[in-house]
Amino acid sequence: MTFRQCSAIKHIPDVAKGFHGTPEFKELPQRLSEIRKRLAYQRQSRTENDDAVDKSGDKCRSQIQTLRQTFNVIFDRLERRTISEMERSKTLLRNKIQADVDQIDDVTEKFEMLTDALKDGSDTNEALSYIGFSKCDEVIFKAQLLLQTIANKDDFKMTFQSFKGITEYLSSLEMLGEVICEGGEKPLPGPDHVFEVEKHVLHNVKVADDKITCGISGICRLVNGEFLLSDGVNSKLKLLNSSDQVMSTSNVPDCPWDVCSTGQCEAAVTVDHKEDRHEILLVRVKAGKIEQMKTIKLQHTCRGLAHHGGHLYVTAGTALHVYDMAGGQGRQLYSDKNGKVTVARCAVSPDGSRIYITNVTLHQLITLNKDGTTLSTLTHPELQYPVTPHVTAQGHVFMTCFGQKTVVQVTEKNNQQTVTTLAGKNNGLSEPVSLCFNSNGSLVVCQLNNDSTVELKLK
């Protein structure tokens, strides 16, 4: 485990001086109130689900007892075993629900304690206010992660399903049927599943001080469910909440190209302008704000960006480079100088074994191993000017195609790659460039010359 070295140490009273007048402190009560309302809603929802599980268990019991009447003597034994299994399953589900409720209660109690502490010391001691704010910020982050986790769970329920051919096999059975538990985390299908677009939704990302129409060139999703966008034409980073609303912005040097998540609340941005600026900007998101931390200067063009295992993968038009997070130990992983844009953007598989790069010149998706050796080259009529590949945590591969204004999915079976067009002009796409998969089962697509992102709801 490594830690950043502190560049300076400041006393809390000095840091907290004038803190009461900052927007962050003034907005804190409202943020606390909103989070508490959401926690209360989720607690009520889980409590109702607990009642529903209890009722569904009673329904199962009734079905078991009704079926038992047909098989008087033998069912005495089977009923006890089946009900015992049902009760065990019900207890398991209710324990899971109670665990969610306990977590909500724990965070809510912390909010109440911090709210009381803020009221007691907010007008007299700025240092205490600052400490309270920092603790509130940590609790808010934990609450957001908890809300996201719970929101992605289906309600638990139980149903009873009797065994087929029960009259013939009755004497050999151990139970009357199977108690089926449903709900919890929503599993995504495997990487060979071909998605379909159920519907699309537009989300406005233009802010008041944008000088011209947005050109969102990059997007990544942070661990807390927020999105970070790079607006290349307005030279801004834009932070979206989980509801796709712009929370804050941060001005950056000319031409931010791409952005990728590098940690819990941190990201990297490629900034490239003509011949005089080739940089990677490291940023951190805290309390709904974007903080610029460090700039790494490079000696080559830097456009596309991906992160895996503490390394940054940077595309340079005709080459792919890899660096550590400090910008050191750089090396060229792949090169193709047979065209102007042979290495446009890149993505790395969850296990790091595959690196996907797009060759715009030849309209190809190229797959490399971690050493930069070419594993496959995909050429297909649907791949017209492919720009940005994106790989989900489950291994699904998506890509924007600028030429045909589409989003495609690439699947592989028996070493054969297949391209399926998921969305096009009819789904609001005009100049799609970058995209990112959301945990709710949708793709967020960003475009040039457009003030809106397009959310594609998948099924």
Side-chain angles (χ1 to χ4, degrees):
M1 182 178 293
T2 58
F3 300 90
R4 290 193 180 96
Q5 295 182 348
C6 296
S7 59
I9 298 176
K10 296 181 180 180
H11 293 290
I12 289 179
D14 296 333
V15 178
K17 187 176 182 179
F19 192 68
H20 285 155
T22 62
E24 292 90 343
F25 186 74
K26 292 179 179 179
E27 294 171 0
L28 184 59
Q30 181 180 355
R31 291 173 62 201
L32 288 172
S33 176
E34 291 176 354
I35 291 293
R36 291 183 66 181
K37 288 179 181 178
R38 293 171 63 188
L39 287 168
Y41 172 80
Q42 290 294 350
R43 190 188 191 286
Q44 177 64 25
S45 176
R46 302 311 282 171
T47 301
E48 292 175 356
N49 186 206
D50 182 56
D51 294 338
V53 168
D54 196 32
K55 291 178 181 178
S56 63
D58 292 339
K59 183 177 180 180
C60 290
R61 180 189 294 272
S62 176
Q63 291 176 308
I64 295 167
Q65 293 174 338
T66 299
L67 185 60
R68 177 195 178 277
Q69 295 174 5
T70 312
F71 311 95
N72 295 324
V73 178
I74 301 175
F75 268 41
D76 285 335
R77 173 177 59 87
L78 296 181
E79 180 192 15
R80 288 192 299 270
R81 292 187 179 183
T82 308
I83 291 179
S84 176
E85 176 63 18
M86 183 274 296
E87 292 290 352
R88 187 195 67 80
S89 298
K90 184 172 74 171
T91 299
L92 177 64
L93 294 186
R94 298 186 70 182
N95 286 341
K96 291 182 178 180
I97 294 171
Q98 187 60 45
D100 289 341
V101 173
D102 289 343
Q103 290 187 72
I104 292 173
D105 287 344
D106 180 62
V107 175
T108 302
E109 182 180 352
K110 290 179 180 178
F111 273 126
E112 292 174 353
M113 294 173 61
L114 291 171
T115 300
D116 293 338
L118 285 173
K119 290 179 180 178
D120 293 338
S122 60
D123 297 329
T124 58
N125 191 317
E126 289 189 334
L128 289 177
S129 298
Y130 179 79
I131 294 172
F133 174 83
S134 300
K135 292 184 177 180
C136 284
D137 199 38
E138 294 176 2
V139 177
I140 287 174
F141 176 74
K142 293 179 180 178
Q144 288 173 330
L145 289 180
L146 177 60
L147 287 167
Q148 179 187 350
T149 300
I150 294 178
N152 285 329
K153 293 182 178 180
D154 285 327
D155 284 345
F156 293 109
K157 63 179 180 180
M158 296 190 303
T159 56
F160 177 75
Q161 181 177 332
S162 62
F163 290 123
K164 294 182 179 179
I166 192 170
T167 55
E168 300 169 3
Y169 299 101
L170 188 59
S171 45
S172 63
L173 294 176
E174 294 295 326
M175 295 188 298
L176 292 178
E178 182 180 2
V179 178
I180 302 172
C181 302
E182 301 176 8
E185 301 291 342
K186 302 175 183 178
L188 286 173
D192 57 348
H193 172 78
V194 179
F195 288 93
E196 296 180 13
V197 175
E198 188 173 12
K199 65 177 181 178
H200 70 274
V201 182
L202 302 182
H203 300 286
N204 182 53
V205 293
K206 187 177 181 64
V207 296
D209 60 345
D210 283 345
K211 296 179 180 179
I212 56 178
T213 302
C214 298
I216 308 300
S217 53
I219 180 175
C220 71
R221 182 179 180 274
L222 304 176
V223 174
N224 63 0
E226 297 171 347
F227 291 91
L228 191 63
L229 278 59
S230 57
D231 187 341
V233 297
N234 287 296
S235 297
K236 283 190 180 77
L237 294 178
K238 297 180 176 180
L239 182 66
L240 309 185
N241 59 20
S242 57
S243 300
D244 298 288
Q245 299 171 325
V246 179
M247 299 169 61
S248 62
T249 64
S250 178
N251 294 325
V252 297
D254 291 337
C255 298
W257 283 80
D258 201 3
V259 58
C260 71
S261 174
T262 59
Q264 192 171 43
C265 291
E266 297 181 353
V269 186
T270 49
V271 179
D272 196 276
H273 183 62
K274 297 182 179 179
E275 300 299 327
D276 58 350
R277 188 186 296 276
H278 312 299
E279 300 171 350
I280 295 177
L281 177 64
L282 302 182
V283 301
R284 175 171 54 209
V285 174
K286 187 176 182 181
K289 304 295 181 183
I290 304 169
E291 299 178 0
Q292 299 184 20
M293 299 186 298
K294 178 182 177 181
T295 298
I296 301 172
K297 296 185 179 297
L298 304 180
Q299 300 302 315
H300 58 77
T301 298
C302 52
R303 300 294 175 83
L305 188 63
H307 174 268
H308 185 274
H311 291 88
L312 292 172
Y313 295 81
V314 185
T315 65
T318 58
L320 175 67
H321 300 264
V322 60
Y323 295 89
D324 60 27
M325 289 301 297
Q329 300 181 358
R331 62 190 178 97
Q332 181 174 284
L333 201 62
Y334 173 87
S335 177
D336 182 357
K337 299 186 182 299
N338 297 315
K340 187 175 181 181
V341 187
T342 56
V343 185
R345 301 229 175 161
C346 63
V348 184
S349 65
D351 61 1
S353 64
R354 293 191 172 198
I355 304 168
Y356 300 89
I357 60 174
T358 49
N359 184 326
V360 174
T361 300
L362 296 180
H363 313 289
Q364 295 173 336
L365 174 67
I366 300 171
T367 306
L368 312 175
N369 67 11
K370 61 182 179 180
D371 297 320
T373 302
T374 301
L375 298 177
S376 65
T377 299
L378 176 61
T379 304
H380 192 278
E382 298 296 317
L383 300 184
Q384 295 298 311
Y385 297 99
V387 182
T388 302
H390 178 75
V391 189
T392 71
Q394 290 74 28
H396 309 101
V397 179
F398 301 101
M399 188 162 43
T400 55
C401 293
F402 198 81
Q404 292 180 306
K405 309 181 189 306
T406 57
V407 167
V408 303
Q409 180 182 358
V410 179
T411 53
E412 183 174 337
K413 189 173 184 179
N414 299 325
N415 295 322
Q416 293 292 323
Q417 291 178 307
T418 302
V419 178
T420 304
T421 299
L422 299 181
K425 296 179 182 179
N426 293 336
N427 305 103
L429 301 183
S430 56
E431 297 183 23
V433 174
S434 57
L435 72 169
C436 184
F437 191 77
N438 196 359
S439 60
N440 63 4
S442 64
L443 276 173
V444 181
V445 185
C446 298
Q447 310 192 86
L448 299 181
N449 299 312
N450 203 306
D451 291 331
S452 298
T453 62
V454 180
E455 182 181 8
L456 303 174
K457 302 283 189 178
L458 302 182
K459 62 178 180 178

